[in-house]
Amino acid sequence: MAKEGRGIVATILKNLVNSLRPRQMFGNEMGKDHLGNTYFEIPADPRAGKRRAERWFAPKEKEDFEQQVPAEWEAWLRGRRSEAPKEEEVLRNLALMQVKKENARKIAEREAASRDSSSLGTEVKGKESFPARKEYEIMPGKPQNK
């Protein structure tokens, strides 16, 4: 019975000492993106009971609630990647995205031009709209009259 009491007192004292230890309150700056956002992280500390790192970003404009975040940084913020992306990787993917947007714009212009230039004849509805083929019979055993 006495051993249980010491265990509780020891646990309380251990928790008190751990609570008085200094801990990291501000994050380490992990990088910046081309939009001006700054990214921070406080690493995980299993001794203190933190299994996951805390990650966040400070936007360039504080009041902008529809702030864009590059896909690489968003994956890092959500914990889908362990290492913060390098600036070269983000810039390479941004250049690729701009090339794809330009190609999509050119294709859309080409399709719009082809739609305008192609003249479709008047639309014929009914039996006349179907093609007439000489090799097919309308009724079995009787050739087509046309």
Side-chain angles (χ1 to χ4, degrees):
M1 193 113 186
K3 188 173 185 181
E4 287 180 19
R6 289 184 193 157
I8 292 174
V9 172
T11 303
I12 291 172
L13 285 175
K14 184 175 82 172
N15 289 340
L16 176 66
V17 169
N18 285 339
S19 69
L20 296 176
R21 278 192 187 143
R23 56 184 171 232
Q24 186 173 3
M25 298 301 278
F26 302 103
N28 303 328
E29 185 174 324
M30 298 305 289
K32 290 188 173 194
D33 63 12
H34 63 281
L35 300 171
N37 302 326
T38 308
Y39 298 88
F40 300 95
E41 176 184 46
I42 296 177
D45 185 11
R47 292 180 299 125
K50 284 177 46 180
R51 294 185 198 131
R52 292 179 49 180
E54 293 180 38
R55 296 173 176 171
W56 69 95
F57 76 101
K60 181 179 178 182
E61 298 176 18
K62 302 290 183 204
E63 298 299 319
D64 187 10
F65 295 111
E66 294 182 10
Q67 182 67 40
Q68 291 185 354
V69 176
E72 298 83 12
W73 280 109
E74 184 175 356
W76 178 78
L77 286 170
R78 294 178 183 266
R80 291 190 297 254
R81 64 185 291 168
S82 58
E83 297 296 319
K86 304 285 186 244
E87 186 175 352
E88 301 85 37
E89 177 187 2
V90 175
L91 292 177
R92 184 177 61 241
N93 289 342
L94 176 66
L96 181 64
M97 181 179 67
Q98 289 172 344
V99 167
K100 287 182 178 182
K101 280 184 180 180
E102 181 64 24
N103 289 343
R105 185 188 60 77
K106 287 178 184 177
I107 290 171
E109 287 176 357
R110 194 175 347 139
E111 287 180 359
S114 70
R115 262 188 267 131
D116 293 341
S117 66
S118 68
S119 61
L120 297 175
T122 59
E123 189 174 330
V124 180
K125 296 190 178 202
K127 185 177 177 183
E128 296 82 26
S129 65
F130 292 100
R133 307 254 190 247
K134 293 179 184 176
E135 61 268 14
Y136 296 128
E137 300 174 340
I138 292 180
M139 297 197 67
K142 293 185 178 180
Q144 201 172 26
N145 294 340
K146 290 185 179 180

